[in-house]
Amino acid sequence: MNEYDSELVRSLLISGGFVLTSDRVRADVILMNTCAIRENAHTKVYTHLSDLRALKRQRPLVVGVLGCMAQNLKEELTNKEPLVDVLAGPDSYRQLPKLIAEAIEAQEQGLRLKGSAVDLSEYETYDDVIPQRRDGVNAWIAVMRGCDNFCSFCVVPYTRGRERSREPEGILAEARLVVAQGFKQITLLGQNVNSYRSGDWDFARLLVAVADVPGIERVRFTSPHPKDFPPALVDAVSSHPKVCKHIHLPAQSGNDRILGLMNRTYSREAYLELVDRIRAVNQDIVLTTDIIAGFCSETDAEFADTYRLLAEVRYHAAFIFKYSERKHTIAARKFADDVPEAVKSERVTALVDLQREISRERNRAYIGSILPVLVEGDAKRSSQQGMGKTDGNITVVWAKACVPGHPGEILNLSIYDSSASTLYATASY
Ligand code: SAM
Ligand code: SF4
């Protein structure tokens, strides 16, 4: 979502007469789009800010902090970091060109002006802003913004405000545009993407309509909430040839008392029924999840329920996080963050180790099969290797000397080896 928001900001700044550079040494203005979801995201921003201090001492420079951290900390951030001139929350990006221009003008007169725009809106969807996208095979399209779920650990409702959906016409026009621009894959985005609703359009209908846009190869979506999974949505994932066979299904915990404290609105049993329902419709759908370990008052026995959930569902992959208390949230106000750091770390390690073994076994099962792979570019480790994704979002790597492939192409590759995170492929003959 932040990458998408940065694309919106780039577009708004270009319309405001600014020119973009990725070279920080040449920039007159440096903006950082930030996340507030966990403490380590905050820490990273402070590190980047201190890197800019020397630059700002040498010459006039406007520094801006955008996004959730700006929204969450507001003036506390500008007071703590005298370096910061501009703050803009996720619903205030339209004000950026004006705020930046005022900060530049003040600097030219030898003054410092701190500008901030951190009001949340019930309506802002940036529907009329065409994001300035980076080249690649995937185009993000936000279909809704904000979240009304108020999971007790989560800062999103406070930083991104109330849930609001875009009109389907605008989303479909954007989908047709990105296809015409050459993007092969669309990822529909929302904090709670499957609660999308506009008139009599629900998320399943929208997903199918986007996947029906002529020329699109693959459609993905993230992040759905387990509470909004009607049969029509499972059917759309299972049967539409352009909708990827992958569902990210954040569980957060496998214990009912903790799920209740988290305000997730489902029980372990209801979650497992949904997993069974998805797999009964199509057992090839790849399932992944998010887990939080060490939430307030989580006992060893309650943690063991989460461990058993992973062992029982056998996800293809899981993102496992240590609970991190966030300012303003219900948990921060009502519950003590009382699981010791060392215990949180032990729990994360236990889950990561278990999941690595499961992912390894799951990936091993693909050896010998031929899979369609959307080429994304070079592998991280070597420009001699190509990298792409299966329909189920599993990373595939191959030697370019053997299969050249170019970004955007779908190759049928033969899987000959695997690890916990990667499938290794060669040409299929
Ligand atoms: N909307 C999605 C859902 O309902 O599951 C999740 C989106 S959230 C931005 C991404 C993930 O960050 C969550 O699934 C959760 O696992 C993790 N997360 C959120 N708040 C957290 C916190 N306070 N501490 C640790 N992890 C957190
Ligand atoms: Fe946060 Fe997701 Fe819960 Fe919304 S549904 S409050 S984004 S975890």
Side-chain angles (χ1 to χ4, degrees):
M1 190 60 109
N2 267 8
E3 274 185 43
Y4 179 81
D5 277 6
S6 296
E7 292 171 353
L8 290 176
V9 168
R10 283 203 285 271
S11 172
L12 289 163
L13 292 178
I14 290 170
S15 306
F18 291 87
V19 178
L20 305 182
T21 172
S22 52
D23 179 358
R24 66 162 68 185
V25 176
R26 292 183 54 210
D28 304 306
V29 181
I30 296 181
L31 303 175
M32 250 178 281
N33 197 2
T34 62
C35 171
I37 204 88
R38 285 173 293 275
E39 187 58 30
N40 57 358
H42 269 195
T43 315
K44 265 193 214 163
V45 175
Y46 286 120
T47 311
H48 283 301
L49 281 173
S50 64
D51 288 349
L52 294 181
R53 207 161 283 138
L55 211 56
K56 190 154 173 155
R57 267 198 295 267
Q58 291 159 15
R59 60 183 175 81
L61 176 68
V62 169
V63 174
V65 175
L66 320 181
C68 291
M69 189 170 161
Q71 189 69 43
N72 205 27
L73 299 184
K74 302 198 176 88
E75 279 72 27
E76 190 183 318
L77 187 63
T78 31
N79 296 342
K80 189 165 167 190
E81 274 296 341
L83 189 74
V84 178
D85 305 289
V86 172
L87 282 184
D91 286 345
S92 308
Y93 296 144
R94 287 182 200 271
Q95 295 187 52
L96 264 178
K98 182 173 153 280
L99 290 175
I100 296 170
E102 286 168 356
I104 293 175
E105 203 182 310
Q107 282 194 4
E108 282 169 357
Q109 295 166 13
L111 304 167
R112 281 294 299 282
L113 184 76
K114 288 186 180 286
S116 88
V118 286
D119 287 337
L120 289 173
S121 157
E122 285 178 31
Y123 309 104
E124 181 62 271
T125 58
Y126 300 105
D127 207 25
D128 56 325
V129 182
I130 307 283
Q132 182 73 24
R133 295 188 160 85
R134 289 188 193 280
D135 292 343
V137 299
N138 178 71
W140 309 104
I141 300 184
V143 302
M144 47 96 72
R145 295 180 74 85
C147 181
D148 287 347
N149 285 339
F150 288 93
C151 298
S152 62
F153 53 81
C154 184
V155 78
V156 166
Y158 308 90
T159 58
R160 291 189 166 268
R162 299 285 61 75
E163 199 166 292
R164 64 221 102 115
S165 295
R166 290 175 60 187
E167 305 277 327
E169 293 76 18
I171 297 167
L172 291 170
E174 199 171 331
R176 287 189 287 270
L177 176 77
V178 300
V179 169
Q181 289 172 334
F183 290 96
K184 301 293 176 196
Q185 173 177 290
I186 289 175
T187 303
L188 301 179
L189 288 178
Q191 299 300 333
N192 195 8
V193 71
N194 51 335
S195 70
Y196 174 87
R197 183 154 282 280
S198 176
D200 51 5
W201 284 70
D202 65 0
F203 185 66
R205 184 172 172 196
L206 181 73
L207 181 64
V208 169
V210 171
D212 281 341
V213 167
I216 192 68
E217 294 292 347
R218 288 183 171 181
V219 181
R220 301 186 182 281
F221 59 93
T222 197
S223 256
H225 191 292
K227 76 180 169 55
D228 290 318
F229 260 96
L233 180 52
V234 179
D235 286 345
V237 175
S238 169
S239 56
H240 197 296
K242 300 295 170 74
V243 179
C244 289
K245 309 289 166 265
H246 170 215
I247 298 180
H248 185 62
L249 204 59
Q252 314 299 358
S253 166
N255 174 269
D256 281 342
R257 189 185 73 91
I258 297 295
L259 286 170
L261 285 183
M262 287 177 163
N263 193 26
R264 287 295 288 181
T265 71
Y266 51 82
S267 62
R268 176 191 177 97
E269 193 188 351
Y271 182 91
L272 286 171
E273 272 170 22
L274 174 59
V275 169
D276 287 347
R277 186 152 63 79
I278 293 169
R279 287 185 170 157
V281 173
N282 186 339
Q283 59 177 356
D284 291 333
I285 293 176
V286 165
L287 292 183
T288 55
T289 197
D290 289 347
I291 299 286
I292 297 178
F295 185 63
C296 311
S297 75
E298 183 186 68
T299 64
D300 285 343
E302 288 165 341
F303 166 70
D305 284 342
T306 302
Y307 190 90
R308 285 193 298 109
L309 183 83
L310 254 62
E312 198 173 328
V313 178
R314 296 178 58 75
Y315 300 97
H316 276 75
F319 297 95
I320 294 157
F321 307 109
K322 208 189 270 191
Y323 172 61
S324 164
E325 186 177 86
R326 310 315 297 144
K327 205 175 159 189
H328 301 312
T329 57
I330 298 166
R333 283 181 278 134
K334 288 197 177 167
F335 313 136
D337 179 12
D338 53 1
V339 176
E341 271 305 300
V343 175
K344 286 183 186 174
S345 297
E346 270 169 31
R347 291 180 185 171
V348 166
T349 306
L351 294 177
V352 167
D353 288 350
L354 171 65
Q355 184 56 48
R356 191 180 300 117
E357 236 2 86
I358 296 170
S359 300
R360 202 185 300 282
E361 283 169 26
R362 283 230 172 249
N363 282 350
R364 203 176 293 136
Y366 290 108
I367 295 178
S369 52
I370 294 175
L371 299 177
V373 175
L374 177 62
V375 181
E376 291 193 0
D378 288 349
K380 271 195 201 135
R381 292 219 180 123
S382 159
S383 59
Q384 309 295 307
Q385 292 180 319
M387 188 279 286
K389 293 278 172 71
T390 67
D391 188 84
N393 210 29
I394 302 170
T395 300
V396 183
V397 163
W398 62 92
K400 278 165 45 179
C402 183
V403 195
H406 51 81
E409 194 179 353
I410 294 190
L411 302 171
N412 284 319
L413 295 180
S414 172
I415 310 301
Y416 70 89
D417 199 2
S418 67
S419 69
S421 59
T422 310
L423 301 176
Y424 298 95
T426 184
S428 61
Y429 298 104

